Amino acid sequence: MRTRVSRTLPAAAVVVLAALTAIPAPAAAAVREPVPYAAPVDRAAPVDHPTYIVTVRRDLDPADVARLVGVTPVHVYDHTLHGFAARLDPAQVAALRSLPGVEAVEEDAAASAG
């Protein structure tokens, strides 16, 4: 008895498709989508105070360091940078620069490569 290819091919395709959909996909690591950088804006802070990027040692919590000088961070960094961004007055900048564990206090500005 001869089987026609035209009848068995669609049936085989259905079986293969059903088998593929039954196999669970491997668990992928959670990857966050990159977010375009926008200079942080703290609406509660006075507009005349510039935004600073404060980098702290890895063993310190950036939010705790900000609280030490009475600052509410507009953003806390925990991957490439370890620190926070906040609007700071000159006294807060000086206080942060004198704290042990604070590695850098830099005014936020546009940056470009090249």
Side-chain angles (χ1 to χ4, degrees), residues 36-43 51 53 74-75 77 85 87 108-110:
Y37 175 75
V41 176
D42 183 0
R43 305 226 184 270
T51 303
I53 306 294
V74 293
H75 189 77
Y77 303 101
R87 289 194 176 273
D108 193 10

Side-chain angles (χ1 to χ4, degrees), residues 7-113:
R7 288 186 186 165
T8 58
L9 190 57
V14 169
V15 170
V16 170
L17 185 60
L20 289 176
T21 57
I23 299 171
V31 176
R32 291 201 271 181
E33 289 294 317
V35 178
Y37 175 75
V41 176
D42 183 0
R43 305 226 184 270
V47 179
D48 60 336
H49 294 172
T51 303
Y52 285 82
I53 306 294
V54 180
T55 309
V56 300
R57 282 192 333 238
R58 287 269 172 205
D59 60 332
L60 298 175
D61 181 6
D64 287 343
V65 174
R67 276 188 230 106
L68 286 174
V69 294
V71 173
T72 302
V74 293
H75 189 77
V76 175
Y77 303 101
D78 59 358
H79 292 287
T80 304
L81 268 179
H82 188 71
F84 63 92
R87 289 194 176 273
L88 304 173
D89 63 35
Q92 291 167 324
V93 171
L96 282 164
R97 285 184 173 147
S98 69
L99 286 175
V102 174
E103 296 175 345
V105 181
E106 301 174 29
E107 192 169 346
D108 193 10
S112 63

